[in-house]
């Protein structure tokens, strides 16, 4: 585990017990938007990357209790809470791992989702390559994250870099799409939501254009 990954793990291990309560309004707004945007089919096999306390997985399962979901997160304490929430679902598997070292077989998933975490990844290219590895051919990725096209988040991006050792950066929509294209994804749909005084989020869906050659 590198220094940055360790900082994120330490931060969310400490926040886990109060995370859902502290960020309830943000979670409700952002994840409701994500669920509507993603429109996940019941037969889709899903990897929830940076699954946190399992809030997004729980919303998906509320719509389809049989959805096959694997969750991965860097924080063991967040996963403890997620396991408690999702205990009744035998079709859910949760793992402690970094986004660049997924404990999943090649071509395992129809869809990889990542909500509210991309700004903590120090090597987005490596994460996207790992996502491509575990996606089936023509599988999809959906990323929901803060959008630096919005002035308050341009300012916030600079502040967060100064005060949060785990924070890396948030992207403009164009920057995130360029990252996806460079990793051989084809963006096919996008949307934005704004709420509160600070938050503007973007959601981008992209398709893996071809399979990644395995070494």
């Amino acid at each position: 585990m590198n220094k940055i990954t360790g900082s994120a793990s330490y931060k969310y291990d400490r926040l886990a017990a109060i995370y859902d309560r502290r960020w309830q309004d943000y979670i409700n707004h952002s994840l409701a938007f994500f669920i509507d945007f993603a429109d996940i089919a019941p037969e889709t096999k899903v990897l929830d990357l940076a699954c946190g306390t399992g809030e997004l997985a729980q919303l998906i399962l509320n719509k389809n209790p049989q959805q096959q979901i694997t969750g991965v997160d860097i924080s063991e304490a967040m996963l403890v809470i997620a396991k408690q929430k999702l205990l009744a679902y035998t079709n859910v598997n949760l793992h402690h791992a970094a986004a660049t070292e997924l404990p999943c077989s090649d071509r395992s998933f129809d869809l990889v989702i990542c909500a509210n975490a991309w700004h903590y990844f120090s090597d987005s290219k490596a994460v996207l390559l790992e996502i491509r590895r575990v996606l089936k051919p023509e599988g999809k990725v959906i990323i929901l994250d803060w959008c630096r096209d919005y002035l308050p988040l341009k300012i916030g991006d600079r502040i967060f870099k100064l005060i949060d050792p785990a924070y890396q950066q948030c992207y403009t929509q164009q920057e995130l799409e360029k990252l996806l294209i460079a990793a051989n994804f084809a963006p096919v749909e996008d949307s934005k939501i704004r709420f509160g005084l600070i938050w503007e989020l973007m959601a981008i869906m992209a398709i893996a254009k071809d399979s990644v050659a395995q070494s």
Side-chain angles (χ1 to χ4, degrees):
M1 185 183 297
N2 62 37
K3 183 178 179 180
I4 294 167
T5 303
S7 295
S9 176
Y10 177 72
K11 173 179 179 174
Y12 282 98
D13 281 346
R14 293 184 65 192
L15 285 174
I18 62 169
Y19 182 83
D20 288 347
R21 184 172 66 254
R22 179 177 177 180
W23 293 103
Q24 183 177 16
D25 185 63
Y26 176 89
I27 291 168
N28 290 344
H29 277 91
S30 64
L31 297 189
F33 167 69
F34 184 93
I35 289 292
D36 288 342
F37 176 82
D39 192 23
I40 301 171
E43 68 275 10
T44 302
K45 190 174 181 182
V46 178
L47 172 63
D48 185 358
L49 183 60
C51 64
T53 62
E55 282 291 299
L56 179 53
Q58 192 168 54
L59 287 174
I60 295 169
L61 292 162
N62 286 343
K63 295 186 70 174
N64 178 33
Q66 301 307 314
Q67 196 91 48
Q68 293 289 323
I69 301 177
T70 296
V72 174
D73 201 90
I74 196 63
S75 167
E76 290 186 274
M78 298 283 272
L79 285 171
V80 167
I81 295 172
K83 287 175 182 177
Q84 293 170 349
K85 289 181 185 177
L86 306 173
L87 188 62
Y89 297 97
T90 58
N91 45 308
V92 175
N93 294 292
L94 300 174
H95 302 280
H96 177 233
T100 53
E101 298 176 357
L102 298 174
C104 309
S105 301
D106 298 352
R107 302 184 178 187
S108 300
F109 299 98
D110 303 298
L111 173 65
V112 175
I113 58 178
C114 183
N116 297 319
W118 206 264
H119 50 276
Y120 284 115
F121 295 153
S122 60
D123 190 345
S124 290
K125 292 179 181 179
V127 175
L128 286 171
L129 287 174
E130 189 69 346
I131 288 172
R132 284 184 54 77
R133 180 183 68 80
V134 302
L135 272 177
K136 296 177 183 178
E138 303 301 313
K140 295 179 181 179
V141 59
I142 302 175
I143 298 169
L144 171 73
D145 204 33
W146 306 346
C147 182
R148 211 177 75 241
D149 290 319
Y150 185 44
L151 179 60
L153 282 173
K154 286 181 182 179
I155 298 168
D157 182 59
R158 295 180 181 181
I159 295 171
F160 296 139
K161 286 176 181 176
L162 294 174
I163 66 174
D164 185 350
Y167 180 85
Q168 297 303 295
Q169 73 173 92
C170 61
Y171 296 86
T172 67
Q173 181 176 334
Q174 185 179 49
E175 287 170 343
L176 186 53
E177 288 179 346
K178 283 183 177 180
L179 283 172
L180 286 161
I181 291 168
N184 216 15
F185 285 92
V188 293
E189 189 175 350
D190 61 78
S191 186
K192 290 180 180 177
I193 183 175
R194 185 181 297 180
F195 57 90
L197 296 175
I198 300 174
W199 307 114
E200 181 173 82
L201 280 69
M202 58 183 167
I204 299 178
M205 179 187 297
I207 297 176
K209 291 198 289 188
D210 51 48
S211 59
V212 176
Q214 301 299 314
S215 57

